[in-house]
């Protein structure tokens, strides 16, 4: 009886072993990675720290504003690419300016619950004395996370005005990919 029980147990192990080895090790241990972050998973805002505020009162060079995304969900998700950014102007003649993208290559950002990443917008401020038709006065930013269609509406908190180049091929005001 002992030999028969040993034989049955050994046969069960062989069958179980055969079934296990029929599945590639990579498939057996791989689990689905995080999926992309959706607008509903995130919150957004302008970075307000002293070193993050754009220098809108100078007109000698470009400055940068930073917009952050924080994962407010309970799952890990990813962001990769460029946000969509439309500036809405405060002047009646400003209209909406959809910002061009830089040539920088995006990287995939993995955000655990509560993690934050940001992206920068290069801006070219101009003096208040600049003729109205040459300046854009930001009022609101419509910010759409990469690969999404729903946006956040952020009020522009920094004042100043930007050289209006909304029709330029290579404007001095443009955005960089998320995480860079």
């Amino acid at each position: 009886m002992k030999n028969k029980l040993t034989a049955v147990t050994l046969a069960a192990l062989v069958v179980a072993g055969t079934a296990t080895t029929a599945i590639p090790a990579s498939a057996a241990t791989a689990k689905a990675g995080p999926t992309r972050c959706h607008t509903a998973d995130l919150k957004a805002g302008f970075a307000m720290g002293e070193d993050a505020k754009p220098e809108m009162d100078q007109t000698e060079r470009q400055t940068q504003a930073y917009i952050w995304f924080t994962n407010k969900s309970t799952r890990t998700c990813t962001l990769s690419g460029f946000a969509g950014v439309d500036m809405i102007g405060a002047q009646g003649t400003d209209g909406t300016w959809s910002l061009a993208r830089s040539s920088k290559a995006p990287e995939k950002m993995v955000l655990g619950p509560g993690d934050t990443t940001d992206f920068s917008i290069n801006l070219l401020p101009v003096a208040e004395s600049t003729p109205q038709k040459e300046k854009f006065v930001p009022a609101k930013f419509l910010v759409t996370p990469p690969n999404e269609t729903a946006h956040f509406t952020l009020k522009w908190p920094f004042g100043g005005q930007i050289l209006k180049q909304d029709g330029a091929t290579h404007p001095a005001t443009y955005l960089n990919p998320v995480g860079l």
Side-chain angles (χ1 to χ4, degrees):
M1 183 80 159
K2 189 174 188 182
N3 286 341
K4 191 173 187 180
L5 184 57
T6 304
V8 171
T9 305
L10 185 57
L13 288 173
V14 170
V15 171
T18 303
T20 302
T21 57
I23 300 171
S26 60
T29 59
K31 65 178 192 178
T35 58
R36 71 180 167 89
C37 301
H38 298 284
T39 305
D41 297 324
L42 303 168
K43 56 184 176 179
F46 282 102
M48 299 300 288
E50 271 315 303
D51 59 341
K53 290 181 182 178
E55 299 174 85
M56 297 304 292
D57 55 348
Q58 62 80 33
T59 59
E60 311 300 312
R61 64 191 179 286
Q62 285 177 304
T63 187
Q64 291 183 320
Y66 294 87
I67 295 176
W68 50 261
F69 291 120
T70 297
N71 180 0
K72 68 177 186 176
S73 76
T74 58
R75 69 180 185 89
T76 297
C77 61
T78 63
L79 283 175
S80 181
F82 290 83
V85 177
D86 293 328
M87 293 190 304
I88 298 174
Q91 303 178 118
T93 58
D94 285 340
T96 300
W97 179 355
S98 295
L99 295 185
R101 298 172 173 182
S102 74
S103 60
K104 292 182 180 178
E107 295 178 10
K108 185 182 233 180
M109 305 302 299
V110 178
L111 299 177
D115 287 349
T116 298
T117 189
D118 64 6
F119 66 94
S120 61
I121 300 174
N122 287 45
L123 306 162
L124 184 58
V126 295
E128 273 193 49
S129 60
T130 302
Q132 183 175 354
K133 67 180 184 172
E134 295 175 23
K135 67 182 175 183
F136 186 95
V137 181
K140 293 180 185 173
F141 279 53
L142 305 181
V143 180
T144 308
N147 304 307
E148 287 292 296
T149 56
H151 66 266
F152 297 98
T153 301
L154 305 177
K155 184 178 177 187
W156 177 249
F158 305 114
Q161 46 278 322
I162 302 164
L163 181 62
K164 190 169 188 172
Q165 296 180 308
D166 54 343
T169 305
H170 298 288
T173 295
Y174 58 88
L175 60 109
N176 292 301
V178 171
L180 299 181

